[in-house]
């Protein structure tokens, strides 16, 4: 038994409240463990008797996640008095293959006989109390949402008003530059809501919409003013109202890690230096600031990525916290937005996000707060900060799977083992964003593109499509990642076929609750690049099977009684009750 690989802590994702009545327990072991049990009871009921120490209830744990080198075992218990004391019973083999049993306590491992002889030497784990206020929760609507990311300058122009910054015609992407403006706006988005509804979209995620000198708007000048090139407050209210009529939620982007260098409060600090009443709104280490050139690697002040145009805000400052919390409150009250995405979310102070979460979620209880964090984000997802994060580990896992450097079950189990089960329902999954290469450019052919979309729409969380991905818009690197939406291409037969297939894949997610549920069962094949898994709805009444052939060999998929093809590419059906799935093929069966 590999003791060094066994770990459990009575905290975070190892021991937490699934709801007000249920405790979820997880333990990580090496793959040499055969069975694990939890011995538990209410600590106040503990009594040592003549028959020996307390034994309590005994629950067998299930294999929840199979990682490359570890297994995570899980179970739930319902302590009647909300208190729980417990330890683990592990069954495995020694170096000679002989069966052995050990107990795991908070302070040590022990043989059952050692515990019997001296129970007071071993500290049992204790989950003190299932407090309803400590239960991690996310808005219930999020898991049923399919998002569509829009950069306003690049999606659609209604042509209702002149643009102060426009310098390029919409379909002219020759020699495209990072700083180009194409003139998209909010009324343009409103004009395409029916298009998005038809595609199956139920949420729009906007990159920043506030006044800024850039096309991306991540260096904001005025957080209270919609960029004049995008429209007005009334245009925003109209967009949200019309979106809601169609069952489409709206999420806007909050850039609170840094401002633009034309933010009036920053300009006051630059102008007045030590005498500025706002000097503690930023992290300034050396004055004067006026007239100094170059990036910020000299340390005179902290900024995003050494960029002088993005001075870092001090979100520890109560004045800064109030200013931006009030800004968010206005967005929610005036525009009725449903969600806020936070840029560079792991560099904003925990204290600020806790203040903001408490205020905003009191004002709108089902508001969704999403953080942009690219790595393991557990410390921000404990229930009082962000509800979820942009799931970059999911995107990276997809890359490994299709590069044949990782097994699907191991990679996805690793992604979903990072967080609370409640959080997994709202993980923000995607194939591409404005910060990555386009999805189609990471695929060797269209079949792989459809395979990835099938997988995106078949896994737990809330999936997002980057504008244009529905017609496989290309853009491998540089500014072409953010090229304008080529609406004229929708007239092409090839693009209409892609759109129709993507629409079918999205419809599967919207139609079958099993694809939005937690339960997944991986089915084994001799060839590990031939993947098949079942997704079962939370009520157990519906099962959908997804098969992906990532190998060079044909994959034979036997049909169960009553199964039918819901979606498939590169396959042949036979009357004998089976389907042959060829290389790069994907298949969804109901």
């Amino acid at each position: 038994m590999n003791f060094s690989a066994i770990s459990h802590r009575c905290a975070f994702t190892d021991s937490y409240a699934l709801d007000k009545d249920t405790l979820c327990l997880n333990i990580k072991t090496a793959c040499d463990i055969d069975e694990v049990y939890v011995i538990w009871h209410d600590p106040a009921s503990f009594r040592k008797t003549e028959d020996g120490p307390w034994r309590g209830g005994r629950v067998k744990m299930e294999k929840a996640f199979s990682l490359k080198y570890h297994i995570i075992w899980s179970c739930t218990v319902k302590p009647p008095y909300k208190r729980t004391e417990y330890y683990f019973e592990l069954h495995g083999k020694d170096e000679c293959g002989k069966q052995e049993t050990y107990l795991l306590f908070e302070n040590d491992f022990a043989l059952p006989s050692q515990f019997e002889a001296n129970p007071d030497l071993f500290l049992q784990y204790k989950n003190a109390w299932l407090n309803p206020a400590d239960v991690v929760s996310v808005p219930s609507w999020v898991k049923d949402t399919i998002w569509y990311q829009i950069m306003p300058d690049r999606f659609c122009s209604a042509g209702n008003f002149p643009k102060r910054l426009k310098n390029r015609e919409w379909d002219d992407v020759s020699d495209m530059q990072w700083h180009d403006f194409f003139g998209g706006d909010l009324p343009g988005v409103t004009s395409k809501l029916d298009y998005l509804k038809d595609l199956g979209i139920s949420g729009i995620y906007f990159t920043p919409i506030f006044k800024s000198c850039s096309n991306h708007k991540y260096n904001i000048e005025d957080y209270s003013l919609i960029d004049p090139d995008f429209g007005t407050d009334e245009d925003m209210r109209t967009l949200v109202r019309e979106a809601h009529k169609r069952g489409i939620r709206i999420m806007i982007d909050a850039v609170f890690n840094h401002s633009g260098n034309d933010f009036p409060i920053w300009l006051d600090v630059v102008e007045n230096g030590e005498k500025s009443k706002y000097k503690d709104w930023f992290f300034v280490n050396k004055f004067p600031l006026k007239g100094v050139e170059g990036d910020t690697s000299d340390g005179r002040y902290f900024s995003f990525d050494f960029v002088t145009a993005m001075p870092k805000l001090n979100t520890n400052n109560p004045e800064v916290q109030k200013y931006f919390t009030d800004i968010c409150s206005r967005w929610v009250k005036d525009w009725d937005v449903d969600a806020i995405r936070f840029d560079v979310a792991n560099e904003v102070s925990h204290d600020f996000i806790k203040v903001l979460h408490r205020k905003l979620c009191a004002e709108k209880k089902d508001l969704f707060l999403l953080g942009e964090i690219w790595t393991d984000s557990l410390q921000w997802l404990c229930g009082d900060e962000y509800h979820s994060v942009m799931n970059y580990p999911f995107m990276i896992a997809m890359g490994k799977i299709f590069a044949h450097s990782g097994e699907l079950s191991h990679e996805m189990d690793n992604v979903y083992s990072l967080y609370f089960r409640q959080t997994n329902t709202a993980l923000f999954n995607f194939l591409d964003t404005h910060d990555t290469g386009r999805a189609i450019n990471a695929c060797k052919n269209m079949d792989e593109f459809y395979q990835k979309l099938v997988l995106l729409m078949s896994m737990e969380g809330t999936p997002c499509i980057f504008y244009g991905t529905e017609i496989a818009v290309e853009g491998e690197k540089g500014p072409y990642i953010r090229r304008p939406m080529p609406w004229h291409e929708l007239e092409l037969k090839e693009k209409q076929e892609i759109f129709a297939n993507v629409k079918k894949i999205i419809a599967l997610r919207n139609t079958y609750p099993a694809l939005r549920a937690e339960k997944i069962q991986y089915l084994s094949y001799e060839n590990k690049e031939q993947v098949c898994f079942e997704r079962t709805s939370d009520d157990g009444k519906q099962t959908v099977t997804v098969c992906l052939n990532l190998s060079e060999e044909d994959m034979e998929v036997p049909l169960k009684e009553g199964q039918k093809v819901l979606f498939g590419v590169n396959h042949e059906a036979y009357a004998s009750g089976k389907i042959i799935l060829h290389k790069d093929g994907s298949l969804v069966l109901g």
Side-chain angles (χ1 to χ4, degrees):
M1 192 176 292
N2 185 355
F3 295 110
S4 63
I6 300 170
S7 65
H8 174 84
R9 191 175 188 182
C10 189
F12 303 114
T13 53
D14 284 354
S15 178
Y16 66 94
L18 192 59
D19 55 48
K20 64 182 181 64
D21 300 314
T22 309
L23 177 66
C24 183
L25 298 174
N26 294 322
I27 183 173
K28 180 185 285 187
T29 73
C31 299
D32 61 346
I33 299 298
D34 300 319
E35 290 184 325
V36 182
Y37 294 84
V38 169
I39 316 299
W40 71 279
H41 206 273
D42 183 281
S45 301
F46 178 88
R47 295 290 185 272
K48 185 174 180 180
T49 68
E50 294 179 359
D51 297 327
W54 160 60
R55 292 290 185 182
R58 185 171 181 264
V59 177
K60 185 176 182 179
M61 304 187 78
E62 302 294 331
K63 291 183 179 180
F65 302 105
S66 295
L67 312 182
K68 191 172 184 179
Y69 303 111
H70 295 90
I71 295 172
I72 296 178
W73 306 76
S74 184
C75 73
T76 58
V77 297
K78 291 184 179 291
Y81 303 102
K82 311 298 183 185
R83 302 172 296 248
T84 315
E85 199 164 43
Y86 61 95
Y87 60 92
F88 297 94
E89 177 187 311
L90 302 111
H91 298 262
K93 294 181 178 64
D94 63 16
E95 294 179 352
C96 299
K98 183 180 179 181
Q99 194 69 35
E100 60 181 356
T101 299
Y102 273 87
L103 308 179
L104 173 63
F105 298 91
E106 192 169 71
N107 64 328
D108 206 354
F109 290 92
L111 291 166
S113 58
Q114 293 173 315
F115 178 52
E116 293 277 357
N118 294 289
D120 293 338
L121 298 181
F122 301 97
L123 290 173
Q124 292 155 23
Y125 295 98
K126 183 181 288 187
N127 191 288
W129 183 261
L130 288 179
N131 193 323
D134 297 331
V135 177
V136 172
S137 63
V138 300
S140 59
W141 59 266
V142 177
K143 75 171 185 176
D144 297 322
T145 303
I146 296 177
W147 297 93
Y148 188 91
Q149 183 188 355
I150 290 176
M151 296 191 72
D153 182 63
R154 305 299 167 84
F155 184 63
C156 182
S157 174
N160 296 346
F161 51 91
K163 304 297 195 306
R164 64 194 171 100
L165 296 174
K166 180 179 176 181
N167 69 303
R168 298 293 294 264
E169 292 305 312
W170 194 262
D171 293 321
D172 177 16
V173 294
S174 58
D175 192 31
M176 185 176 165
Q177 302 297 314
W178 281 113
H179 58 265
D180 286 336
F181 292 83
F182 287 85
D185 52 38
L186 297 181
V189 177
T190 303
S191 73
K192 296 297 184 180
L193 289 176
D194 287 335
Y195 165 85
L196 296 177
K197 180 68 175 176
D198 178 59
L199 180 60
I201 299 303
S202 48
I204 297 174
Y205 150 41
F206 284 104
T207 54
I209 61 175
F210 303 102
K211 187 180 180 185
S212 166
C213 62
S214 68
N215 55 48
H216 55 73
K217 311 301 179 191
Y218 281 101
N219 54 325
I220 296 176
E221 174 187 344
D222 190 338
Y223 291 84
S224 64
L225 181 66
I226 289 176
D227 194 283
D229 276 1
F230 291 168
T232 64
D233 268 26
E234 187 55 38
D235 290 327
M236 184 62 180
R237 278 190 286 270
T238 298
L239 192 159
V240 176
R241 184 172 62 250
E242 291 300 316
H244 286 172
K245 284 181 183 179
R246 294 162 174 81
I248 298 175
R249 308 265 186 168
I250 299 296
M251 175 161 61
I252 59 176
D253 211 329
V255 189
F256 297 158
N257 172 68
H258 54 271
S259 71
N261 63 350
D262 48 5
F263 182 41
I265 291 175
W266 171 251
L267 291 177
D268 188 279
V269 176
V270 172
E271 181 66 30
N272 297 308
E274 291 275 12
K275 296 180 180 179
S276 172
K277 65 179 181 179
Y278 301 113
K279 69 175 183 177
D280 292 329
W281 279 52
F282 301 89
F283 292 96
V284 180
N285 304 311
K286 189 191 305 181
F287 290 103
L289 298 174
K290 197 172 183 180
V292 180
E293 301 295 329
D295 63 29
T296 62
S297 59
D298 61 0
R300 64 187 184 279
Y301 64 90
F302 294 134
S303 67
F304 173 73
D305 201 26
F306 294 137
V307 178
T308 55
M310 296 181 176
K312 186 172 178 64
L313 288 154
N314 179 10
T315 51
N316 304 304
N317 185 328
E319 292 180 0
V320 175
Q321 292 181 0
K322 184 178 187 309
Y323 179 86
F324 286 111
T325 300
D326 288 346
I327 286 284
C328 285
S329 182
R330 183 214 156 191
W331 297 344
V332 174
K333 290 177 180 177
D334 289 3
W335 300 332
D336 195 25
V337 299
D338 306 284
I340 301 175
R341 181 258 196 192
F342 294 84
D343 185 57
V344 200
N346 52 338
E347 294 189 32
V348 177
S349 75
H350 289 282
D351 183 56
F352 169 46
I353 298 301
K354 289 176 181 178
V355 169
L356 188 145
H357 179 115
R358 190 176 302 115
K359 176 177 173 59
L360 295 184
C361 293
E363 293 175 351
K364 187 168 186 173
K365 295 188 181 301
D366 65 347
L367 185 70
F368 178 48
L369 305 180
L370 175 72
E372 183 218 5
I373 304 176
W374 289 49
T375 54
D376 181 355
S377 310
L378 179 60
Q379 62 178 302
W380 290 275
L381 297 173
C382 292
D384 55 354
E385 295 184 60
Y386 307 118
H387 292 114
S388 179
V389 288
M390 298 188 72
N391 199 2
Y392 278 94
F394 178 93
M395 187 191 74
I396 293 168
M398 292 277 271
K400 291 182 67 178
I401 292 163
F402 284 88
H404 306 291
S405 63
E407 291 182 34
L408 187 143
S409 59
H410 290 164
E411 295 299 329
M412 289 301 162
D413 275 6
N414 180 65
V415 168
Y416 289 102
S417 68
L418 295 174
Y419 307 122
F420 305 103
R421 283 164 58 179
Q422 305 96 300
T423 305
N424 286 342
T425 66
L427 283 176
F428 199 83
N429 301 332
F430 48 85
L431 301 179
D432 50 1
T433 74
H434 65 290
D435 286 325
T436 70
R438 286 280 183 172
I440 186 62
N441 292 96
C443 300
K444 60 181 178 290
N445 54 40
M446 283 304 302
D447 288 339
E448 183 179 309
F449 176 74
Y450 292 132
Q451 284 182 312
K452 288 182 176 179
L453 278 167
V454 165
L455 194 53
L456 175 67
M457 294 297 164
S458 300
M459 302 303 289
E460 190 177 14
T462 182
C464 182
I465 299 289
F466 190 32
Y467 76 91
T469 295
E470 71 272 24
I471 55 171
V473 166
E474 296 184 8
E476 185 172 7
K477 59 184 178 180
Y480 293 95
I481 295 168
R482 305 174 182 180
R483 61 175 295 180
M485 177 69 178
W487 292 105
H488 65 284
E489 292 187 7
L490 282 165
E491 299 174 4
L492 302 176
K493 183 178 179 181
E494 174 193 357
K495 295 297 186 180
Q496 289 174 357
E497 182 180 339
I498 295 171
F499 180 89
N501 280 329
V502 174
K503 181 178 173 179
K504 288 177 185 176
I505 296 170
I506 291 174
L508 292 176
R509 175 103 181 170
N510 284 327
T511 304
Y512 294 93
L515 296 178
R516 308 191 295 272
E518 175 186 5
K519 189 174 180 181
I520 186 169
Q521 177 66 46
Y522 293 99
L523 307 178
S524 60
Y525 275 82
E526 290 185 11
N527 189 331
K528 293 182 179 179
E529 292 175 1
Q530 295 181 341
V531 178
C532 204
F533 57 88
E534 290 181 345
R535 300 280 278 117
T536 303
S537 59
D538 293 333
D539 61 10
K541 295 180 179 180
Q542 183 186 90
T543 297
V544 174
T545 303
V546 178
C547 300
L548 303 174
N549 190 3
L550 313 183
S551 74
E552 296 292 322
E553 304 170 4
D554 287 347
M555 176 181 180
E556 184 176 309
V557 181
L559 291 177
K560 296 180 181 178
E561 184 178 354
Q563 274 192 325
K564 62 179 180 179
V565 177
L566 303 178
F567 176 83
V569 294
N570 208 6
H571 70 286
E572 295 179 70
Y574 289 82
S576 56
K578 65 180 180 182
I579 291 178
I580 301 299
L581 194 57
H582 301 299
K583 182 180 70 171
D584 296 328
S586 53
L587 193 67
V588 182
L589 302 168

